[in-house]
Amino acid sequence: MHINNILVVGSGAMGSQIGLAASLAGYATTIHDIAAEPLAAAREQIASRLDSSVAKGRLSRPDADAALARLSFTTSLEEGAAGADLVIEAATERLDVKRAIFAALDAAAPPHAILATNSSTLGSSKVAGSTSRPGKVCNMHFFNPALVMKCVEVVRHPGTSQETVDTVMELARRLGKAPVLINHEIPGFVANRLMGAIRDEALRLYAEGIATFEDIDTAAKTALGHPMGPFELMDLVGLDVSYLIRHATFAETGDPADLPHPALTEMYERGDYGRKTGKGWYRYGEAATAVK
């Protein structure tokens, strides 16, 4: 199947970067959100990111202008889906919201369109039943920051067609990514299960007073070669996202061990979500510092 037009549902950090990655790869891309304000903010952020890439010599001015010209923004899901060959849903990690979106997409998108979810926890079988095209539904899970990270997890559910898998894997390659095919749904898929094990152990070490979170981050970077420590990564992804993912995983497994760590719950309830709020494990301003 040939992909020309892509719709990204959700204009947050993930959605906007996925949309920009698609436009940079030459695809006509529409980014949708339910309100005009976040769409305007996403467009401004994308334009700023392109300007920065030009200033740093990573991108020519004509290429940056062409990428921006290939992007459109809409608050109408029906309008955005009408000509889409593939949709990537990047909305909040709530199953009821995703099911409603997929039902609406199924009604608005052409019959041939593939409907993918960027969910990092919920397998696409959870939303496929909201559509009349379960064979054209799968996960296409990008990692934050989506413009930089090479991995994309393509997860099939039992009804996903081979054509859908092949098309989405090839699209990921055309976006400059290194797709990983996951043949059986499992909460957290592969990469997040690996990172989750590291995060959970880091939280235990911190809670038991074995080491400060700053020193745990330092060990991860200097001994294991990680680009950032687990606490820095939680701040980048968003502590609210980490918290909601843990609850979504618990809803899947019923295992109390999958619930958020008490330290994470405390920060979530305070509204300290990391970089997006200026405070998480670290404070953010001109330079990141540990929260005292």
Side-chain angles (χ1 to χ4, degrees):
M1 177 181 167
H2 193 63
I3 303 296
N4 292 308
N5 300 299
I6 294 173
L7 169 65
V8 180
V9 179
S11 66
M14 285 298 293
S16 61
Q17 288 196 41
I18 292 169
L20 179 53
S23 68
L24 284 168
Y27 293 95
T29 306
T30 300
I31 298 177
H32 165 270
D33 211 306
I34 58 175
E37 184 177 344
L39 279 177
R43 192 188 189 287
E44 182 178 346
Q45 184 184 61
I46 287 171
S48 176
R49 191 181 294 273
L50 288 169
D51 288 343
S52 177
S53 293
V54 171
K56 293 176 181 178
R58 297 172 181 169
L59 195 65
S60 71
R61 183 77 262 172
D63 285 346
D65 291 342
L68 192 59
R70 283 189 289 269
L71 280 168
S72 59
F73 302 82
T74 183
T75 57
S76 169
L77 189 67
E78 293 74 16
E79 177 184 300
D85 299 308
L86 182 139
V87 181
I88 303 169
E89 171 271 318
T92 187
E93 202 76 351
R94 284 180 48 189
L95 183 55
D96 58 336
V97 172
K98 292 182 185 295
R99 282 177 171 160
I101 290 172
F102 272 76
L105 288 171
D106 187 52
H112 71 270
I114 291 171
L115 308 180
T117 175
N118 181 56
S119 177
S120 60
T121 304
L122 300 168
S124 61
S125 63
K126 301 293 184 183
V127 295
S130 298
T131 78
S132 62
R133 62 184 89 189
K136 294 183 178 294
V137 177
C138 68
N139 288 77
M140 188 179 188
H141 174 224
F142 292 76
F143 290 80
N144 191 17
L147 275 173
V148 176
M149 300 294 283
K150 292 292 186 182
C151 185
V152 170
E153 292 177 321
V154 178
V155 190
R156 68 193 312 163
H157 67 83
T160 305
S161 73
Q162 189 59 45
E163 180 186 28
T164 295
V165 169
D166 293 343
T167 299
V168 176
M169 292 284 285
E170 180 58 24
L171 173 64
R173 295 186 189 101
R174 290 176 182 268
L175 297 185
K177 305 303 182 183
V180 173
L181 177 59
I182 299 173
N183 285 306
H184 302 283
E185 292 182 334
I186 183 172
F189 309 144
V190 170
N192 278 344
R193 290 179 74 87
L194 296 173
M195 287 306 303
I198 293 171
R199 178 200 60 228
D200 291 348
E201 183 61 23
L203 284 164
R204 278 192 291 270
L205 291 170
Y206 165 72
E208 293 172 8
I210 304 301
T212 65
F213 64 83
E214 304 99 304
D215 282 346
I216 294 169
D217 276 351
T218 297
K221 291 182 287 187
T222 59
L224 304 180
H226 293 189
M228 61 178 63
F231 295 95
E232 291 173 312
L233 182 59
M234 280 187 270
D235 275 2
L236 175 65
V237 171
L239 294 167
D240 56 332
V241 174
S242 296
Y243 175 87
L244 292 171
I245 285 174
R246 297 299 287 174
H247 272 289
T249 302
F250 171 71
E252 288 280 301
T253 67
D255 185 349
D258 288 327
L259 284 167
H261 190 280
L264 179 58
T265 298
E266 180 182 346
M267 298 182 80
Y268 174 81
E269 291 177 347
R270 285 204 310 260
D272 295 335
Y273 296 162
R275 288 181 180 269
K276 66 177 71 175
T277 60
K279 181 182 176 184
W281 293 104
Y282 297 85
R283 291 187 187 275
Y284 296 89
E286 293 184 3
T289 57
V291 176
K292 302 301 184 183

